[in-house]
Amino acid sequence: MAPAIAMGLPTQFTTTRALTRELVAPLSDADATVQSMADASPAKWHLAHTTWFFETFLLRDHLPGYRLFREDWPFLFNSYYEAEGQRIARNSRGVLSRPALAEVLDWRAHVDAAMEPLLGDPAMAPLIRLGIAHEQQHQELLLTDIKHAFFSNPAGPAVWPASDEAAEAPGARGWWNHAGGVVEIGDAGAEFSFDNEGPAHRVLLEPFALADRLVTNGEWSQFIADGGYRTPALWLADGWDWVQQHGISAPLYWHGDEQFTHAGWQSRDPERPVTHLSFWEADAFAAWAGHRLPTEFEWEAIAADHAADGGNQLDAADAPLPQGGDSLFGDCWQFTRSAYLPYPRFRPAGGAVGEYNGKFMAGQWVLKGASCATPRGHSRATYRNFFHPHQRWQFTGVRLARDL
Amino acid sequence: MAPAIAMGLPTQFTTTRALTRELVAPLSDADATVQSMADASPAKWHLAHTTWFFETFLLRDHLPGYRLFREDWPFLFNSYYEAEGQRIARNSRGVLSRPALAEVLDWRAHVDAAMEPLLGDPAMAPLIRLGIAHEQQHQELLLTDIKHAFFSNPAGPAVWPASDEAAEAPGARGWWNHAGGVVEIGDAGAEFSFDNEGPAHRVLLEPFALADRLVTNGEWSQFIADGGYRTPALWLADGWDWVQQHGISAPLYWHGDEQFTHAGWQSRDPERPVTHLSFWEADAFAAWAGHRLPTEFEWEAIAADHAADGGNQLDAADAPLPQGGDSLFGDCWQFTRSAYLPYPRFRPAGGAVGEYNGKFMAGQWVLKGASCATPRGHSRATYRNFFHPHQRWQFTGVRLARDL
Amino acid sequence: MAPAIAMGLPTQFTTTRALTRELVAPLSDADATVQSMADASPAKWHLAHTTWFFETFLLRDHLPGYRLFREDWPFLFNSYYEAEGQRIARNSRGVLSRPALAEVLDWRAHVDAAMEPLLGDPAMAPLIRLGIAHEQQHQELLLTDIKHAFFSNPAGPAVWPASDEAAEAPGARGWWNHAGGVVEIGDAGAEFSFDNEGPAHRVLLEPFALADRLVTNGEWSQFIADGGYRTPALWLADGWDWVQQHGISAPLYWHGDEQFTHAGWQSRDPERPVTHLSFWEADAFAAWAGHRLPTEFEWEAIAADHAADGGNQLDAADAPLPQGGDSLFGDCWQFTRSAYLPYPRFRPAGGAVGEYNGKFMAGQWVLKGASCATPRGHSRATYRNFFHPHQRWQFTGVRLARDL
Amino acid sequence: MAPAIAMGLPTQFTTTRALTRELVAPLSDADATVQSMADASPAKWHLAHTTWFFETFLLRDHLPGYRLFREDWPFLFNSYYEAEGQRIARNSRGVLSRPALAEVLDWRAHVDAAMEPLLGDPAMAPLIRLGIAHEQQHQELLLTDIKHAFFSNPAGPAVWPASDEAAEAPGARGWWNHAGGVVEIGDAGAEFSFDNEGPAHRVLLEPFALADRLVTNGEWSQFIADGGYRTPALWLADGWDWVQQHGISAPLYWHGDEQFTHAGWQSRDPERPVTHLSFWEADAFAAWAGHRLPTEFEWEAIAADHAADGGNQLDAADAPLPQGGDSLFGDCWQFTRSAYLPYPRFRPAGGAVGEYNGKFMAGQWVLKGASCATPRGHSRATYRNFFHPHQRWQFTGVRLARDL
């Protein structure tokens, strides 16, 4: 379980690109074309978009004489970079039956080969590291998007067979205490981090405690049995509207005693961490439990003593599932009660790459940790993931906090 | 150009089923999975739904001992038959990457083989004829739906190469005159007809004339140049709202001097019939031209003297396109100024098959004739096609009429 | 009960304008300002719009030297005449707290006085008759719109006290038979008719029968008790979608054993005609009853023998309510199975007045007769009312028909 | 200009209730009934809702023997208190033509008189103070809501005549510097504060500077001239979507060189503070200016040295308008870059009153200060106003900040 971060950069590049290919190995061209909702993208699109990133910001911009593999594909596979021009509407990516999966894989091979001369160039290292981290993010999205696509198919197909690994039984919930005071937050000089993790700065905390394990399926069933989804006093106002409007009564992917997984419909283990929650649900559960969600700063303060490359994260191409245990990282992204905002003195970088994170700093919530679908080596204590409060298709979970 | 109707029923069945397979031969599994809008269905779905029809209403209901190929597929491939139970939401058919195209084709082969003992059974003939006519309708839809899917792909792929057949230059427009009086309308005992074509009855007409050719691309360009899309007085009120709301300024599939076809983007020939129009546009054009659309009864009265199996219709698997000429049938479905309503004494048949047409008799308009994508032998003078007034993805065109 | 049509034109003008004022007498300025949905308009707007009609098409266009009462009011009170320029969005009429009701009534008085010199001018008679008929239509709309506004107010206020007039008990349903054949339809030279009633022409009918009374509340309760609103086979497809989407389970204004009236919530009399139905409901009921709706031509053929100014229609300003009885006219507008289409050789008139009816001839259904809210003298056998199939806020009812 | 806070509680009650009545004095019953959008409420509703608050939480709960003025009015005039039962849909308040304005004013008088015995009761003081603060909030909303209603009326009426007071010319922009460090934030024991202002706690700040005046109309015109509304790089991603979707190109209420005010359309003074901005616009402007918005903590740290009852705030019933000057409070609410979140150890109070603020702590932004429409005495340095990022109908403005 050697973390990717210890490898040399060319090896990291090769390993990351290879894992993406392995993730799509079970998928047909048709599977890789489906888009089941606007938030999700086709697997083919992820394969192409990550390749577009390297072709555009590395090969086009920095390899003399490089010619684009196909002139018209940037329009298809740009995501949201306004500075990079027009692009296909986000919710129309599901019409891209052409190029075929095989053509996209050819493009990947072409770009990988063309990258060779740049991989050892120190001047290129920052952009290559960004490209690798970017591709790791899309590996996780590819997994959660294809899960949603297969879930949307009434035939309920599976990407991989189910693993028969038994889950670890969670102990009673314990707490990690923190005495409060001034803590250092944000990028502390790691080899790579995203712009939104900095600048490093100090934050003053009150004393608090953070739960030493995630909330489980069994605990969530108690919340439901106790009328959690029918009790407005537990919910934020917009969350209650969301529950009413969409008739929400359980986490996404729950049906009876089963849940949908990359291995199709499977029985649900009450001992394992509950996942695929919205922020609204996480917050309501915390209120019901008499506790609260942590802030991102509290979570990060506790993380100083925990290894980011431990826990249940993605190592290879098989069906990811939260397993439980007492690792702070892994299993599920953990909601915080922190809105996703810029740190003091944050300034977006210039150019198209500067659109990476800053422009999304409104209306979303910070999640910390890593999930069972996060490529090991991708996350850090300072990592700030973020989603809109109603989104549930990621492996999201709840770790409680309380005041001391 | 022997019409299908002259064949024996087993041959008709075999020929029709074979043509459907030929139509999808150029499509990948991914192509056959794409759904580009709620009105359109994936090619794979058409393949499966037409097979479901034979499996359900023939094999399941009438072949002793027949067992369903797959128990869970009826849910996926029922279209709108309430009596046949739950079904997947119409606008969610694009998630069906599984079953794969090859599996669906296997199902087709299985059902075709299983049908063997029923093909010669006279008691089965009415249902088999209905199944063949139903499949012919879906052949046309398959063609128009895949055209829309490929159009929606910014890469603009082609199903077939372009034909280099030259279009026939249209002459000056002439008129077929009719003296009015009582005419016989509706099903007159053809071997097969849909329920909505009957009962036969009499209608009293005023004297009128019907144009002997369709409106052309060139004439439509004049309408545009004359401000047709910006002149509210030419439009029905709901049509004008539609123009405003969607920013309509040309037929669907027009862009500059090109139009999108099954052979991709092609230059537009001003001599050929204009197609892919809404009822709103057809009606506004007729007003601009100082004429009007015919009623379905007028059209049918003229058709008494015309062969339904002539003109430019679908004979084989290649790129359909309106060609022009003076055939009443073929090239484009022709809008009428008749709302789609039941004929006097019309009663829907009992059972699921009775849901075929009657329940759609509100809010739609009758179109007469046949198009370049209609399988030859499918249409009749009494045939009543129908669409909502804003729909444009069918091969729809305009034939003018005027009072005498 | 002398019908308005027997009066001289100046008297008709004065009488009609006076009735409108009487209808709003119980309303406060606030009542007259409320718009409860996009289909309805504020009472104040009706008062002003009918005045705008006379000021624009009579005084402005034909009275030398006339100056507009207020330059900016045409923008506020034009309805849908594109040729008359910009106008306030239809669903924003509820913001017009200014001008105040009193100001609008002053405008009415001003225009009425200014009209004096034109009332006796034979050249003006056609436009004046049109203005009177237009105002009568708005009298009915004013009544149905204020009913909807008061219904939307949870306090459930009343416009007028309830009348204690007992309803006539309906007899068993009888049928008026018609032998079919060619009948004359449409405007036959009445003193006044709308453009959509002509030209007169002949239609060929099959033998049929028309019920001699309307369907009652009690019969509708049986339809509900028999699961009418839960049986898809009874409904047109778009009607069933409407039922599902809006959770429809009873006529508009029904609640428990009560119905909302101009006298507030009142108990519902099973003997009286059921009203406030959509076309979808009317059609489903007819299917349930084993009959059908009449065509507009059948209805009109029967009407040749009935007086249009009989029955329960609006004579004075008090709470209108269907009463029942065997009058063909009055009580409720009666749905037909005829789409609202132009008659043969119909051509809209030129100018803004030509926008009156023709441009709405798509997507609506013809209703015949008159209602308890129709000013007596307004309707005729040839009169064609029309609404969209989901609309229910008019006094709409069902008269069954059947084939012979 | 003695602040309300120095008065005894009975006087505060009387003064506040009287000011509300004065604010509606120029309004007709119809004016007071109009609701021009879902965010706004009719003036009549504000009058009634604030009265409902006192009748419910004081008279009903604490005055033995008190009987409700009208049993059915709580349904009409509850705002969002789930614990207080069902209520009319927020966007349907515009149908309440009944009760009439005069009836609502009678209710106010009745409740004011009934409150007499409770005004001097120390046990009631916290609830009465809450009721007064609540009514002051609705005074500001009443002003901004009627402004929107009159703006929506194409006739553009005025509530009050324009004042001819000249605006103070703003000097060059100066900055108030702050050295950073730990500051005390939140409720420090004022006589009254809202629950969201506490608990008091410490926050660690970096050195920063806050502008000593608001951004002006003239500066905003430069932003527009420089293409501010067409430059995606200046905008948060959701803000850019909002600009595109709604075609935003200027602050709300701007048209040519004019702006809409309580005195109708008036010419716009470039020297006065710009107002009626969304958070999206405020943030984009700050980016364009090369600065940023302050955090709520920075703003509050500066406010320690400023009097909250100074500046241009609401003292009497006339047309409010930002005037400019160097007061930290008044003129416009000032956007911060702080999401509206709970302070450490915040817990909502029990019961319906506990729904006051906590449940809205998601998706909104904190604004600090006070506006020209805020009743003087209502605001404090710790006060936290909050709105959704697209809302513009409040008197919102921009005060820039920068890092030191």
Side-chain angles (χ1 to χ4, degrees), chain A residues 30-31 33 95-98 153-154, chain B residues 30-31 33 75 96-98 153:
Chain A
D31 294 335
T33 300
V95 302
L96 300 176
S97 60
R98 314 283 179 94
N153 185 333
Chain B
D31 293 335
T33 299
F75 179 87
L96 300 176
S97 61
R98 314 282 180 95
N153 185 335

Side-chain angles (χ1 to χ4, degrees), chain C residues 30-31 33 96-98 153-154, chain D residues 30-31 33 75 95-98 153:
Chain C
D31 294 335
T33 300
L96 300 177
S97 60
R98 317 281 180 95
N153 185 336
Chain D
D31 294 335
T33 299
F75 179 88
V95 302
L96 299 176
S97 61
R98 315 282 179 97
N153 186 335

Side-chain angles (χ1 to χ4, degrees), chain A residues 148 151 250-254 259 275-277 281 392-394:
Chain A
H148 191 268
F151 163 76
L252 183 63
Y253 298 144
W254 282 35
Q259 63 184 347
T275 188
H276 294 298
L277 308 170
E281 290 165 288
R392 308 204 288 177
W393 92 114
Q394 298 301 303

Side-chain angles (χ1 to χ4, degrees), chain D residues 212-258:
Chain D
D212 67 359
R213 65 169 176 78
L214 296 170
V215 171
T216 64
N217 286 324
E219 288 165 329
W220 202 270
S221 294
Q222 290 180 278
F223 170 69
I224 294 176
D226 196 39
Y229 283 98
R230 301 188 309 271
T231 308
L234 298 173
W235 296 78
L236 288 158
D238 289 350
W240 182 243
D241 286 351
W242 172 81
V243 164
Q244 301 290 99
Q245 192 177 341
H246 299 279
I248 305 291
S249 59
L252 183 64
Y253 298 143
W254 282 35
H255 185 72
D257 293 333
E258 293 192 322

Side-chain angles (χ1 to χ4, degrees), chain B residues 82-399:
Chain B
E82 301 276 353
E84 285 293 325
Q86 293 291 308
R87 58 205 178 281
I88 190 172
R90 181 172 182 144
N91 59 358
S92 298
R93 294 172 181 167
V95 302
L96 300 176
S97 61
R98 314 282 180 95
L101 178 55
E103 293 177 277
V104 170
L105 291 173
D106 285 349
W107 185 26
R108 288 184 68 87
H110 177 88
V111 163
D112 288 354
M115 282 289 294
E116 191 74 24
L118 301 183
L119 291 179
D121 179 350
M124 294 298 102
L127 273 174
I128 293 171
R129 280 199 195 93
L130 178 60
I132 291 170
H134 172 255
E135 179 136 356
Q136 289 176 316
Q137 293 183 313
H138 280 276
Q139 288 169 343
E140 181 154 6
L141 290 171
L142 189 158
L143 283 170
T144 51
D145 291 357
I146 195 70
K147 182 174 181 175
H148 191 268
F150 277 28
F151 163 75
S152 302
N153 185 335
V159 182
W160 290 287
S163 152
D164 47 4
E165 200 175 336
E168 199 175 332
R173 185 193 297 134
W175 299 91
W176 293 314
N177 291 347
H178 191 285
V182 172
V183 296
E184 287 285 329
I185 292 296
D187 170 38
E191 187 183 38
F192 172 80
S193 63
F194 285 111
D195 59 353
N196 64 357
E197 299 172 50
H201 64 289
R202 294 169 306 149
V203 168
L204 180 53
L205 300 182
E206 304 289 320
F208 72 97
L210 187 69
D212 67 0
R213 65 168 177 79
L214 296 170
V215 171
T216 63
N217 287 322
E219 288 165 330
W220 203 270
S221 293
Q222 290 179 277
F223 171 69
I224 294 176
D226 197 37
Y229 283 100
R230 300 187 309 270
T231 307
L234 297 172
W235 296 78
L236 288 159
D238 288 350
W240 182 242
D241 286 350
W242 172 81
V243 164
Q244 300 291 100
Q245 192 176 342
H246 299 279
I248 305 292
S249 60
L252 183 64
Y253 298 144
W254 282 35
H255 184 73
D257 292 333
E258 294 192 321
Q259 62 184 346
F260 192 76
T261 74
H262 286 87
W265 287 100
Q266 299 289 337
S267 73
R268 207 167 57 234
D269 184 342
E271 307 287 323
R272 297 198 186 201
V274 61
T275 188
H276 296 297
L277 308 169
S278 66
F279 171 78
W280 304 127
E281 290 165 290
D283 188 79
F285 180 91
W288 172 80
H291 297 301
R292 61 173 175 82
L293 300 177
T295 67
E296 63 170 316
F297 311 112
E298 292 170 338
W299 196 100
E300 189 171 335
I302 294 291
D305 302 329
H306 293 253
D309 60 354
N312 176 27
Q313 300 184 36
L314 184 73
D315 294 303
D318 59 15
L321 209 63
Q323 300 287 353
D326 60 1
S327 176
L328 183 61
F329 288 83
D331 278 328
C332 295
W333 288 99
Q334 295 149 46
F335 282 109
T336 72
R337 191 65 170 90
S338 296
Y340 180 49
L341 296 174
Y343 284 168
R345 301 180 190 281
F346 171 79
R347 290 270 159 159
V353 167
E355 295 184 45
Y356 208 88
N357 279 309
K359 73 179 180 181
F360 300 113
M361 290 177 175
Q364 308 204 48
W365 297 90
V366 174
L367 298 97
K368 299 293 285 185
S371 86
C372 53
T374 308
R376 194 179 305 280
H378 178 68
S379 201
R380 287 168 296 282
T382 59
Y383 199 98
R384 306 173 80 200
N385 203 350
F386 50 92
F387 287 101
H388 286 99
H390 68 280
Q391 293 176 314
R392 309 203 288 175
W393 91 114
Q394 297 302 303
F395 285 96
T396 47
V398 181
R399 185 181 296 275

Side-chain angles (χ1 to χ4, degrees), chain D residues 93-174:
Chain D
R93 294 173 181 167
V95 302
L96 299 176
S97 61
R98 315 282 179 97
L101 178 55
E103 293 177 277
V104 170
L105 292 172
D106 285 349
W107 187 25
R108 288 184 69 87
H110 177 88
V111 164
D112 287 355
M115 281 290 292
E116 191 75 25
L118 300 182
L119 291 178
D121 180 349
M124 293 299 103
L127 274 174
I128 293 171
R129 280 199 196 93
L130 179 59
I132 291 171
H134 173 255
E135 179 136 356
Q136 290 176 315
Q137 293 183 313
H138 280 278
Q139 288 170 342
E140 181 154 7
L141 290 170
L142 189 159
L143 282 170
T144 51
D145 291 358
I146 196 68
K147 182 174 182 176
H148 191 269
F150 277 28
F151 164 75
S152 302
N153 186 335
V159 182
W160 289 285
S163 153
D164 47 3
E165 200 175 334
E168 197 175 332
R173 185 194 296 133

